[in-house]
Amino acid sequence: MLRIACPFCGTRDHSEFSYGGDGSVNYPALDAALEAWHDAVFLRDNICGRQVETWQHVHGCRMWLLVERDTMTHEIFSVRPAHAGLATVLEATE
Amino acid sequence: MADALSAVVDHLVPGRSGTPGMAGVRFSEIRGSTLIQFAAWPDSAVRAGAEAAKAVGAKLAPKPGRVTTGTDGTLLRVEPLKWWLISETAKAPSLSSEAGVALDLSQSRTRLHVSGRQAARLLNHVLPLDLSDTAFPEGSVSSTAFHHIGVTLWRDGTGFNLFLPRSFAVSLCEILIEIARQYGLEIA
Ligand SMILES: [Zn+2]
């Protein structure tokens, strides 16, 4: 089982998270060419090794996270909030 | 909210069941308090937290995973951008939409109090959390999942408060009662 160290909740079980997909995709501008949107939505590298993924801690803090994970070994190298501003919000309220 | 109808009154029948001897687990439904959610925007968390703290008469809003008690109630930081205010007396304040949203959730959750020597052990049949005294001490709160249903757990001085979404409460209580019998169950 995967365990993910949520920056807001601490280490939690896989069962609390849902997978969001490739976290490295840069989506084009809304008025970009159809081909650019086609590639962003449908074309994926099938990486064997380290990749950045989005996960949502849906049964926890409900925050979206960027998780750097090895698809071969499941080793997790880093977890950070997908919304960069949230880390500072937490510091300000503690 | 004293007139709120219980979702589990027919299932939490007072009495003693399961393994004889001293009851390892005690259940009781806590009713009659108000539950108000304060939800903030990412850039208004400080303001919404301050409003929530004011509403319970506390100096500071708690950080994620922690609980603060003020003169008029208790404040649970259930998510980074959400607080739950639990009170017998406090009223829902009107927040400006720039600061966040205050919403009365009193009728939406069934609050089950679980205590006794085996309370943490019982909950660990269904919750994927470390409930040891060091990892989850008194004053901790956590949003988690119980049979794929999102639930909220708060440890107070006498045990655990489990907030179950109302429409799932009967089903989840049945599961807990079934498991609790092996530890000796007393329902108050
Ligand atoms: Zn989390």
Side-chain angles (χ1 to χ4, degrees), chain B residues 108-119:
Chain B
S108 79
R109 296 294 193 282
T110 290
R111 178 178 173 189
L112 183 71
H113 194 263
V114 181
S115 60
R117 211 165 40 86
Q118 305 281 13

Side-chain angles (χ1 to χ4, degrees), chain A residues 6 8-9 57 61:
Chain A
C6 175
F8 303 104
C9 308
H57 195 185
C61 59

Side-chain angles (χ1 to χ4, degrees), chain A residues 12-13 16 59 61-62 89 94, chain B residues 42 63 79-80 128 142-144:
Chain A
R12 297 292 189 87
D13 284 4
E16 291 188 0
H59 289 306
C61 59
R62 290 171 180 264
V89 163
E94 272 175 35
Chain B
K63 61 182 184 177
E79 288 171 25
S142 191
S143 298
T144 182

